[in-house]
Amino acid sequence: MQAEQALPHAGAVERGAEEEESTVRVLGALSADGWRIFHDVRWPGRAQASIDHIVVGPGGVFVVDSQAWSGEIQVKSGSLRQDGKRRARHVIASAAAAMAVGELLPGLSPEKIRPVICVARQEPIYGWCGDTMICSTENITTFLTSSPRVLDEAEMTDIAQALSLSLQAAGARLPPSAATYAGDAPLAAPSREAPRRAKRPPRPPMPRPVRIVAVIGALAVAAAVAFQLDLPARVGRLSADAAHRVVAPTKPIGTTVSVAGIAKRPSLEVTAGTPAVTRSKLPGVTVTPGNELVAIPVSVHNTGDKDWASRSDVHAELTDSSGATYSSDPAYTSVGTGQALPAKVTLSPGERTSGLVVFEVPRGVEVAKFRLRVGPGLPAILRWSVG
């Protein structure tokens, strides 16, 4: 995915083309199964930005950003890091690209359009940063094909036709792919670039004494407004109230924890059960050598007076006896001890749902703590101790 910025040096361009081509090859296999795929298209509404891939299949519309990052990739606590550096900007850009594509499909629910960051490498990467799926070229097809079906064949055809008419080719960095929209609906020809606007001359800086006087004046006005509205006291009360309502005390595993309702969430009762070692039942989804799967059963009961709609609003962490923390792995939707807790669910008042939260951890670790964050709105953080 190319942002609107200065052109990178030749080496970066070459690596970017290679990463996109590797993803093209992997995604090309899906076209034989009826998936509609677009490569290297103009970012809707932006003159000099592009989207690497758009994939339309039974699981929805996936907007894919290809990356050729080296080093260690970690998805932990909802944060994406490359060699320890946060890549929040890429996650935000990926979500923005999905929103831009959604504007071309006004009749499609936003929940059916998912942003994806795909790292070009031959080892699987699993994780989520909010609604953004993080994977690699090794397992992207598994991620996409294992998503629950939300589109039928007619809807997939209509969406692909709409995108074919709306999207524009981004340029000639990649050759046309045979997988592009089933091979019979070429993208519209690229439009001519608008003439560049002349650069404005730089504004002369303000003299230093004037800047100092302006800053002092702004601070004085802000202080007067804050005390007039009693903001310090209000912020203090808000912080105390939020801490009281959000962070629940640690409970023994197996205990039911009550979650207070707020404007966007009804009151809930959440129970976490005893961790158990299990195995994957998904073909092609295997555990890294030296690791094992641990599943924790979780049940959620809507005790409020309105619906609870979860859209990837449940995030879990496991801590072992050494203090190491692991995030739940959404790739393992089916394991030997049962099915995973649904990522998307709507509970009416009085209804319940249950399932497993699955973690991939080093073999033989001793589970010490389990933490669950429940949304939407102001998240409730629930904690259980094990043993």
Side-chain angles (χ1 to χ4, degrees):
M1 185 178 301
Q2 299 294 317
E4 295 173 295
Q5 57 185 5
L7 291 177
H9 57 78
V13 172
E14 184 177 353
R15 289 195 299 273
E18 290 176 355
E19 83 202 18
E20 290 186 29
E21 288 173 352
S22 66
T23 311
V24 166
R25 290 192 294 269
V26 172
L27 294 178
L30 294 175
S31 62
D33 296 327
W35 290 62
R36 283 71 162 175
I37 306 174
F38 300 83
H39 299 298
D40 198 29
V41 296
R42 187 76 66 195
W43 185 314
R46 296 193 183 185
Q48 299 182 27
S50 64
I51 294 175
D52 295 335
H53 319 279
I54 301 176
V55 185
V56 182
V61 179
F62 300 91
V63 181
V64 183
D65 175 17
S66 295
Q67 295 293 341
W69 293 332
S70 60
E72 183 182 11
I73 305 298
Q74 284 187 323
V75 185
K76 192 173 182 180
S77 303
S79 175
L80 172 62
R81 295 178 182 272
Q82 180 234 344
D83 274 347
K85 298 179 181 179
R86 292 190 62 184
R87 293 297 181 182
R89 182 173 63 85
H90 293 81
V91 175
I92 294 172
S94 180
M99 292 177 63
V101 172
E103 292 177 357
L104 302 178
L105 305 168
L108 188 64
S109 170
E111 298 164 0
K112 298 179 181 179
I113 306 174
R114 305 303 298 266
V116 180
I117 294 179
C118 179
V119 182
R121 60 176 56 195
Q122 295 182 349
E123 61 185 41
I125 299 174
Y126 301 103
W128 294 83
C129 293
D131 289 332
T132 301
M133 177 190 300
I134 313 297
C135 59
S136 70
T137 48
E138 176 67 24
N139 66 322
I140 184 172
T141 55
T142 301
F143 244 136
L144 301 188
T145 56
S146 63
S147 298
R149 187 179 190 109
V150 296
L151 299 176
D152 58 30
E153 186 65 28
E155 290 173 319
M156 291 165 54
T157 300
D158 291 343
I159 291 170
Q161 288 177 343
L163 292 177
S164 176
L165 295 173
S166 302
L167 293 171
Q168 295 179 335
R173 286 186 302 158
L174 292 177
S177 168
T180 300
Y181 182 37
D184 59 0
L187 295 178
S191 62
R192 295 182 178 179
E193 295 288 346
R196 295 179 179 270
R197 291 182 298 179
K199 293 184 178 181
R200 296 180 178 178
R203 180 179 299 175
M206 296 174 61
R208 180 179 177 82
V210 176
R211 292 202 306 269
I212 294 175
V213 172
V215 170
I216 294 175
L219 291 176
V221 171
V225 172
F227 282 101
Q228 181 69 24
L229 299 178
D230 195 22
L231 289 182
R234 293 188 183 189
V235 172
R237 289 193 298 269
L238 179 61
S239 301
D241 182 58
H244 175 73
R245 291 162 57 189
V246 173
V247 181
T250 302
K251 299 288 185 180
I253 199 74
T255 304
T256 298
V257 178
S258 296
V259 180
I262 58 174
K264 295 184 178 181
R265 182 189 65 228
S267 57
L268 304 170
E269 288 184 349
V270 184
T271 307
T274 303
V277 176
T278 186
R279 57 182 177 82
S280 172
K281 293 181 66 177
L282 295 174
V285 182
T286 58
V287 179
T288 304
N291 288 357
E292 64 185 6
L293 299 182
V294 173
I296 298 179
V298 173
S299 66
V300 182
H301 179 204
N302 184 353
T303 57
D305 56 1
K306 55 186 175 184
D307 289 351
W308 179 58
S310 171
R311 299 294 180 263
S312 300
D313 293 317
V314 177
H315 303 275
E317 288 185 352
L318 178 152
T319 304
D320 65 19
S321 55
S322 70
T325 301
Y326 310 89
S327 296
S328 57
D329 197 327
Y332 298 103
T333 56
S334 179
V335 294
T337 48
Q339 299 295 314
L341 186 71
K344 296 184 178 182
V345 63
T346 299
L347 292 182
S348 299
E351 288 188 334
R352 301 173 182 266
T353 187
S354 61
L356 301 172
V357 179
V358 183
F359 300 85
E360 181 174 348
V361 299
R363 183 177 292 118
V365 301
E366 181 179 349
V367 180
K369 299 177 183 178
F370 175 59
R371 192 176 86 156
L372 197 66
R373 190 179 71 181
V374 180
L378 197 64
I381 300 174
L382 314 180
R383 300 176 295 183
W384 290 268
S385 60
V386 180

